[in-house]
Amino acid sequence: MTKGEQPGAMESSLRGQLERVTFNDEGNGYSVFKIGVRGNPDLVTAVGFCERHMPGEELEFSGTWVNHPKFGRQFQFSVCKSIMPSTVEGIKRYLGSGLVKGVGPKMAERITSAFGLRTLDVLDENPDELLEVRGVSKKLLDSIKQSWESQKEVRSVMLFLQSNGVSPNFAAKIFETYGTETIRAVKENPYKLADDIFGIGFLSADKVASNLGVAKDSPLRLEAGVRHVLSGLTGEGHVYAPRELLAQHAAKLLAVPEGLTDAAISRAVADSSLVLDVIAPDGEQTVEAIYLPPYYAAERSSAKKLASLLRSDYLDGLGGLPSGLDIGQAATWVRDVMKIELAQKQKEALALALSSKVMIMTGGPGTGKTTLLRAIIGILGACGLSIELAAPTGRAAKRMSEATGHEARTIHRLLEYNGRLGAFQRNSDTPLECDLLVVDEASMIDSVLFFHLMRALGQECRLILVGDTHQLPSVGPGNVLKDLIESGVVPVAELNEIFRQAQKSGIVVNAHRVNSGKMPYTRQDEELSDFYFVEQEDPEKCVEIILSMIQERIPQRFGFDPMHDVQVLTPMHRGSLGASNLNAALQKSLNPGDKPAIERDGRLFKAGDKVMQIRNDYDKDVYNGDIGFILMADPNAGILSVDIDGRAITYERQDLDALIHAYAVSIHKSQGSEYPAVIIPIHTQHYMLLQRNLLYTGITRGKKLVVLVGTKKAVSIAVANDDTKHRRTYLCERLRQAAAI
């Protein structure tokens, strides 16, 4: 670079000594450096993503010159390479920067005074010479040796990863996982990166493999590709894939002939990394079904255990009804003792619950599920039965506790999940110590969680599953509640009559109208209603309406707090009415101003923000779907403090992948939750996701107020579309087969 060089878009290079690290994001590697360049009296600002570097290092950059509107002229680099310092002063600063344990600025000066330009060679080849330096003891020498070798190894690993297309952010995660074995592990099987490192998918691992010279038709690549495609299909809710379909999809992804992927499937089955089972779904012709092993084991074992429970004596552990009552008198006892008057359908369901070892209770809002549940818990509790209540999410468990007056826990807490061991402590060896287990929001339970639940049930335990089959199915693979009902093996009580009090609710009435394929009522009268539809064709104006409603109209008219009581639920993530754009707009509107913040992958987390946990974290005791508010953000330390249910949870920078802004969340993410007020944007830009069960689920999340904002056409499309995507499962048939034995 010359003194008179002007900024431009041309690719150029820059070389100089790192004088100061102005900023470094340890999470993603974004750095701001001040570089001393020969011939230039001023320090140059260099910005970009790279590994960690220390003052005194010689660095070589490739990139372009830009003019930042606030910070002025900068060199924006895409490549940053370390070149060992070439001057005594540079070596002294490099060693004294804290890079080598036990060597501070003073010791670095003594060492460089003794060895000059030979210093780095001495450290590499003959470190024992350091004993000649005043103050270097044998103990300190050992510490310097270990630290120098360690930083050399880290540097070589990071350079290896980044030279093979791995970003600094993921390079740090990979080194944290594999340590000194990183280079060996990645060279041996680069596709393990997709399995072991959260955020690295098959395509990224495939790029690394290509850089390492792995052939397109390598068995390693073909089998990894097949597993990736099958894993992707389970991500869509399927438990297995037909072999022919799997081979076709994998061949398309890998750009190889289908015969190669079919052969890869055979090899994977032979080495037990995949399972093949010949099945006949829905009584049709046989299919070669390919499973990932955990899902095959879960499906078979769950069916076997459930059939075993159904065959056992329903009176096991009952201990008699209170005051010698028989089942026919139970409803009278509930009326006289609990002061609960049950409708005829509820009485029939109560009798079924008391006479069945396993039963399912299903129904929509306003049909009396909660009242009936309280009656069942009351009467069986009076029998002396020990009762446990559980739900898939923390928010659903909290709602269950409030509705029944009985403590409820998440299924993971109930089964005592140990995050360190990655296993449930409650299982077939140490089953749950209860006589009755009631699980709410059962439509959210996927096949693997159901398997663990079945394993933990003792043979004497009774089970009641409560859910709404018309809601969205589980996020994970399987369609457990629907399969159990369709099997015809498990007793089912369906509550479908809306109680008179619930008929006054526009939310309840319209939820049932949508569920039956009818358009919701949208005409408003002068009195306050709990259901509104605001028609607007322009998506941008829809955003403006949503902002106005949250900030002004809803708080002023209904008294709801805009941050804590009002939740925006959207069908999708992308687009102007998607979660990403709405979160950005709502953050600016509801939490304005410059506050200390931490940036992560383009998202700015600052004090006051509403956030959601999107992965179970058993160490922090926070779970997927938990909502909280940021109490404090310290960008220097890279730490957030988040209030979740009255507890201050600390998040370090590397933990932020598990947080999203929650001013607006997808309807899928809202499952198991309930909010005082809900706003649902529904527009034809959501066309691909407009389905009846999606709209129904969104509406039923609102407790006191639901507002739809968008077009009648979009509502009509959603209501008419009851063609929910079929999930490939075989639990229904397996349960029938197991029950017939």
Side-chain angles (χ1 to χ4, degrees):
M1 183 196 75
T2 63
K3 189 175 180 180
E5 183 180 358
Q6 296 298 315
M10 295 285 291
E11 181 83 11
S12 57
S13 61
L14 175 73
R15 179 169 176 168
Q17 181 173 289
L18 177 58
E19 297 292 333
R20 187 167 70 251
V21 179
T22 303
F23 176 78
N24 173 254
D25 186 325
E26 294 182 2
N28 60 20
Y30 181 76
S31 302
V32 179
F33 295 146
K34 293 294 185 180
I35 307 296
V37 181
R38 290 178 187 174
N40 194 322
D42 300 320
L43 294 180
V44 172
T45 301
V47 300
F49 296 87
C50 65
E51 62 186 281
R52 190 181 179 198
H53 291 285
M54 294 293 188
E57 281 188 76
E58 289 281 337
L59 300 176
E60 186 173 78
F61 304 94
S62 296
T64 56
W65 290 97
V66 297
N67 269 321
H68 191 281
K70 183 175 180 180
F71 300 110
R73 193 182 191 213
Q74 299 179 340
F75 189 81
Q76 198 170 74
F77 62 83
S78 55
V79 177
C80 174
K81 295 180 180 178
S82 177
I83 302 164
M84 283 300 174
S86 57
T87 65
V88 173
E89 181 63 25
I91 294 170
K92 181 174 71 175
R93 293 195 62 201
Y94 180 61
L95 289 181
S97 64
L99 179 75
V100 181
K101 188 176 180 181
V103 177
K106 289 185 179 179
M107 181 57 72
E109 185 172 1
R110 289 180 200 165
I111 293 172
T112 52
S113 294
F115 301 109
L117 292 173
R118 291 183 53 236
T119 299
L120 299 181
D121 291 333
V122 168
L123 285 165
D124 279 336
E125 298 168 10
N126 194 10
D128 288 345
E129 288 188 40
L130 293 176
L131 290 171
E132 301 171 9
V133 177
R134 180 170 57 88
V136 178
S137 63
K138 183 70 170 63
K139 183 178 180 181
L140 178 58
L141 175 64
D142 290 341
S143 175
I144 291 172
K145 282 181 179 180
Q146 184 177 4
S147 182
W148 183 252
E149 286 302 315
S150 175
Q151 71 83 25
K152 276 173 58 182
E153 192 154 27
V154 171
R155 181 61 52 82
S156 65
V157 167
M158 301 299 266
L159 287 173
F160 164 77
L161 292 172
Q162 290 178 54
S163 66
N164 284 289
V166 179
S167 71
N169 182 26
F170 285 124
K173 289 183 178 180
I174 293 167
F175 185 76
E176 185 180 341
T177 301
Y178 299 131
T180 57
E181 295 294 303
T182 297
I183 294 177
R184 181 197 61 77
V186 173
K187 283 184 173 180
E188 189 176 277
N189 185 359
Y191 295 101
K192 273 186 64 63
L193 293 173
D195 298 327
D196 298 342
I197 312 298
F198 179 80
I200 293 185
F202 172 81
L203 296 179
S204 297
D206 198 36
K207 182 180 177 183
V208 174
S210 177
N211 289 336
L212 291 172
V214 176
K216 285 184 67 174
D217 60 354
S218 161
L220 193 69
R221 179 174 186 261
L222 295 172
E223 290 177 39
V226 165
R227 286 194 299 274
H228 167 71
V229 170
L230 184 53
S231 180
L233 290 171
T234 63
E236 295 175 11
H238 304 294
V239 178
Y240 70 86
R243 177 174 184 152
E244 185 178 355
L245 180 71
L246 179 59
Q248 289 172 356
H249 284 200
K252 184 176 180 180
L253 171 76
L254 300 171
V256 298
E258 193 177 319
L260 291 179
T261 53
D262 188 71
I265 292 171
S266 294
R267 289 194 299 273
V269 169
D271 66 21
S272 300
S273 59
L274 294 179
V275 175
L276 183 152
D277 192 14
V278 179
I279 63 176
D282 302 319
E284 299 174 1
Q285 66 183 69
T286 58
V287 172
E288 286 189 305
I290 306 297
Y291 288 80
L292 291 168
Y295 300 124
Y296 179 71
E299 202 172 67
R300 291 190 69 207
S301 178
S302 296
K304 183 178 178 181
K305 177 60 179 287
L306 193 55
S308 173
L309 286 174
L310 287 163
R311 280 195 295 269
S312 60
D313 185 353
Y314 76 84
L315 288 175
D316 284 354
L318 183 58
L321 291 169
S323 305
L325 294 176
D326 60 29
I327 290 173
Q329 297 172 301
T332 304
W333 185 91
V334 169
R335 182 195 64 198
D336 295 342
V337 177
M338 299 187 69
K339 309 304 180 185
I340 295 174
E341 186 70 54
L342 298 177
Q344 183 58 36
K345 282 255 183 183
Q346 290 176 310
K347 292 177 182 178
E348 294 169 4
L350 175 63
L352 188 64
L354 297 179
S355 61
S356 303
K357 190 65 178 287
V358 180
M359 70 91 71
I360 294 171
M361 185 199 310
T362 183
T367 57
K369 291 198 306 293
T370 301
T371 300
L372 176 57
L373 193 55
R374 285 174 50 219
I376 293 170
I377 293 170
I379 200 166
L380 290 180
C383 294
L385 272 67
S386 60
I387 301 170
E388 290 279 6
L389 307 186
T393 68
R395 293 180 73 86
K398 185 177 181 181
R399 282 176 52 215
M400 194 180 188
S401 295
E402 293 169 351
T404 63
H406 193 290
E407 181 192 5
R409 292 181 280 174
T410 65
I411 295 174
H412 282 79
R413 284 176 180 163
L414 176 76
L415 301 184
E416 299 175 19
Y417 186 84
N418 185 312
R420 184 175 56 83
L421 299 175
F424 291 98
Q425 302 305 291
R426 293 291 182 176
N427 49 43
S428 55
D429 295 326
T430 54
L432 292 169
E433 297 168 0
C434 62
D435 303 313
L436 169 66
L437 173 62
V438 182
V439 182
D440 199 7
E441 297 287 356
S443 63
M444 296 178 65
I445 302 175
D446 63 37
S447 61
V448 173
L449 187 57
F450 187 64
F451 158 71
H452 288 293
L453 195 63
M454 288 295 98
R455 282 186 74 202
L457 284 183
Q459 197 64 28
E460 72 288 347
C461 188
R462 302 154 69 97
L463 174 65
I464 297 176
L465 298 174
V466 184
D468 186 345
T469 56
H470 301 296
Q471 289 186 19
L472 291 168
S474 60
V475 174
N479 209 346
V480 173
L481 185 62
K482 183 173 180 288
D483 284 347
L484 297 187
I485 293 173
E486 290 187 352
S487 72
V489 173
V490 183
V492 178
E494 182 179 4
L495 303 178
N496 51 23
E497 295 177 1
I498 306 177
F499 280 81
R500 185 174 301 169
Q501 186 177 357
Q503 290 174 4
K504 299 176 183 178
S505 166
I507 295 173
V508 172
V509 170
N510 281 324
H512 284 275
R513 286 184 65 82
V514 167
N515 190 41
S516 61
K518 299 174 184 176
M519 287 287 285
Y521 292 125
T522 57
R523 183 177 60 83
Q524 311 298 337
D525 52 34
E526 293 302 315
E527 296 181 12
L528 285 181
S529 172
D530 64 357
F531 189 96
Y532 291 84
F533 174 75
V534 180
E535 190 167 11
Q536 177 55 249
E537 293 280 346
D538 187 336
E540 298 302 328
K541 289 184 179 178
C542 287
V543 175
E544 293 174 11
I545 290 170
I546 291 169
L547 294 177
S548 172
M549 282 187 168
I550 291 182
Q551 275 192 304
E552 302 166 6
R553 293 161 64 179
I554 289 178
Q556 289 172 6
R557 191 171 188 194
F558 296 92
F560 291 128
D561 180 270
M563 289 284 274
H564 292 81
D565 297 335
V566 186
Q567 184 63 56
V568 178
L569 303 179
T570 180
M572 64 192 302
H573 293 283
R574 297 179 182 176
S576 55
L577 290 170
S580 296
N581 184 62
L582 286 171
N583 269 314
L586 288 164
Q587 181 190 43
K588 186 176 180 180
S589 174
L590 297 176
N591 192 22
D594 291 331
K595 302 177 182 178
I598 298 177
E599 188 273 339
R600 180 70 167 180
D601 298 332
R603 297 170 296 148
L604 202 64
F605 293 98
K606 58 182 180 178
D609 274 344
K610 185 178 184 179
V611 292
M612 176 184 278
Q613 176 81 15
I614 58 170
R615 292 205 306 274
N616 291 337
D617 188 323
Y618 306 101
D619 294 328
K620 288 183 170 60
D621 197 24
V622 290
Y623 300 89
N624 188 4
D626 284 351
I627 286 181
F629 295 86
I630 298 177
L631 299 170
M632 175 275 294
D634 185 341
N636 294 321
I639 290 175
L640 291 180
S641 178
V642 182
D643 180 349
I644 297 178
D645 291 333
R647 296 182 300 124
I649 310 297
T650 299
Y651 287 80
E652 296 183 6
R653 200 182 300 273
Q654 62 268 25
D655 302 329
L656 297 185
D657 288 340
L659 281 184
I660 60 171
H661 289 99
Y663 300 98
V665 299
S666 70
I667 294 175
H668 283 83
K669 283 290 181 189
S670 73
Q671 285 178 268
S673 299
E674 193 175 66
Y675 313 93
V678 163
I679 300 175
I680 304 173
I682 181 161
H683 197 277
T684 49
Q685 75 170 213
H686 299 144
Y687 180 80
M688 295 297 292
L689 291 172
L690 294 178
Q691 291 183 329
R692 186 184 300 175
N693 61 352
L694 184 97
L695 180 57
Y696 174 78
T697 300
I699 291 172
T700 56
R701 299 309 90 199
K703 189 174 182 181
K704 298 179 180 178
L705 177 67
V706 171
V707 182
L708 306 185
V709 179
T711 67
K712 287 185 179 178
K713 182 178 180 180
V715 176
S716 177
I717 291 170
V719 169
N721 184 12
D722 195 30
D723 185 21
T724 54
K725 190 171 182 181
H726 173 69
R727 293 187 168 197
R728 298 186 194 93
T729 73
Y730 204 57
L731 177 61
C732 175
E733 291 86 344
R734 291 190 195 281
L735 181 54
R736 287 173 183 162
Q737 293 166 7
I741 296 175

